[in-house]
Amino acid sequence: MKSASKVIGDKQTTTNIRYKHGKNMQYENKEVLAFRDPHEIGLPKPNFNSTFIFAKYDGYLCYPNNYNYYSNYFKNTFQHGGVSLEEMLVPLVTMESK
């Protein structure tokens, strides 16, 4: 993990550092992959106005309180989750009999 992205959310926002979902979240659009309608990607919609955001590349998501502490704590560590090329591509093989 190399770069932290600041996310502001309410108390019901999830605490995962690679993805978050909740209501009324504030974030930088260029630093995350965001979906305001989770049904378009096959995810459940826990609340009427739920948003799902995923950290891009090798980034992670931090809240503004204790931002410097957590951004340094998780820097150069491995955390699973988020969106990477390997997680987005699905291999497909078509086989035909002779």
Side-chain angles (χ1 to χ4, degrees):
M1 305 265 236
K2 298 205 176 169
S3 61
S5 299
K6 198 176 288 188
V7 175
I8 300 171
D10 59 14
K11 292 186 187 275
Q12 282 76 33
T13 303
T14 57
T15 58
N16 192 294
I17 64 169
R18 294 287 288 158
Y19 71 91
K20 294 191 183 299
H21 71 84
K23 303 181 294 185
N24 305 319
M25 289 189 292
Q26 297 174 18
Y27 49 87
E28 284 291 326
N29 284 327
K30 64 182 180 178
E31 297 176 354
V32 300
L33 181 61
F35 294 96
R36 293 202 182 274
D37 182 12
H39 286 147
E40 72 182 73
I41 57 170
L43 292 173
K45 193 168 191 175
N47 298 313
F48 174 70
N49 57 352
S50 290
T51 301
F52 280 76
I53 62 172
F54 300 89
K56 287 184 178 178
Y57 311 113
D58 58 354
Y60 52 99
L61 307 169
C62 291
Y63 292 118
N65 56 334
N66 294 328
Y67 177 80
N68 290 330
Y69 171 77
Y70 286 108
S71 63
N72 289 328
Y73 182 78
F74 290 114
K75 191 173 187 169
N76 296 322
T77 64
F78 175 76
Q79 303 295 323
H80 188 275
V83 179
S84 66
L85 183 62
E86 292 81 8
E87 293 170 321
M88 296 299 293
L89 295 178
V90 177
L92 176 67
V93 176
T94 304
M95 300 177 77
E96 297 179 9
S97 62
K98 288 186 178 183

